[in-house]
Structures are given as structure tokens and as C-alpha cells.
Amino acid sequence: MGDTKEDISLAYAYPLCKVTDMPDDMRTEAMEATVTAVEKYSDNYETAARMVKDLLDKKFGAPFNVVIGEDYSYCCTHQENSMLLMFTNGNVAALIWRTVASFG
């Protein structure tokens, strides 16, 4: 078929939700914030992750965790209805989850 690297990156330019248990409104907000942050800070994923975390903490309550990058694996324990793994801009992955604020 002749797929080049350019063809492949264009095929995955849209946000792709891979795994989630978030409610629809939270998922939509998280995905939109992530796409915006990755486009705005394409050269600094740490700043992009901070932007998404701050927005979600403010809107849905803390503590959210956000990891944005191109090459990592993960294993996390998360609060129910708060986990999202998505891809955007081709190979940029975003993992978002909320931890328990306190034990006790």
C-alpha cells in the first residue's frame, strides 16, 4: 500500500481514547484539555501535563495525576471512574488518573 511515515502520522492525527472508565463529561474535558496542551506545548510535555492536571484538579477536584510522553509504560492503581489512556498527535500518549486523597 506504500504507507510512509507521513501517511501514518496523518492517519493518527486525531485524539484516540484507548482505555477509560471516566464518565463522559470528564472524559471529554480531559481529552480536549490534553489535545490543547500538547498542541500548545509540543516541545515540553511536562508543562503540558501540568496544564491538564491543574485544569482537572480545579474542575473535578484533586488529586489528578497526568503523564504525557512518547515512550513509556505504566502500571497504576486509580480511583474508580477516573482513569484515561489516550493518544494524540500520532504517538503522544497521555495517562490521566486520580489517586485517593487520603486513607483512613
Side-chain angles (χ1 to χ4, degrees):
M1 185 168 159
D3 285 339
T4 65
K5 186 173 184 173
E6 185 178 332
D7 294 337
I8 293 170
S9 66
L10 290 176
Y12 299 104
Y14 57 90
L16 173 66
C17 178
K18 189 72 173 171
V19 178
T20 188
D21 67 352
M22 285 183 174
D24 289 341
D25 61 331
M26 186 185 294
R27 178 184 49 82
T28 301
E29 188 74 30
M31 289 182 72
E32 288 176 0
T34 302
V35 169
T36 301
V38 168
E39 287 175 355
K40 185 173 183 178
Y41 300 108
S42 60
D43 59 340
N44 189 341
Y45 295 139
E46 184 177 352
T47 305
R50 173 58 68 179
M51 179 181 159
V52 174
K53 178 196 176 7
D54 291 345
L55 182 121
L56 294 175
D57 283 351
K58 187 176 185 181
K59 185 150 188 171
F60 298 106
F64 274 92
N65 298 282
V66 180
V67 177
I68 297 176
E70 294 183 17
D71 222 3
Y72 63 89
S73 82
Y74 73 95
C75 179
C76 71
T77 302
H78 66 283
Q79 187 176 353
E80 286 184 18
N81 301 321
S82 70
M83 191 266 202
L84 169 71
L85 174 62
M86 67 171 284
F87 293 91
T88 187
N89 290 12
N91 61 343
V92 179
L95 175 64
I96 302 168
W97 75 100
R98 183 188 287 160
T99 56
V100 178
S102 64
F103 295 97

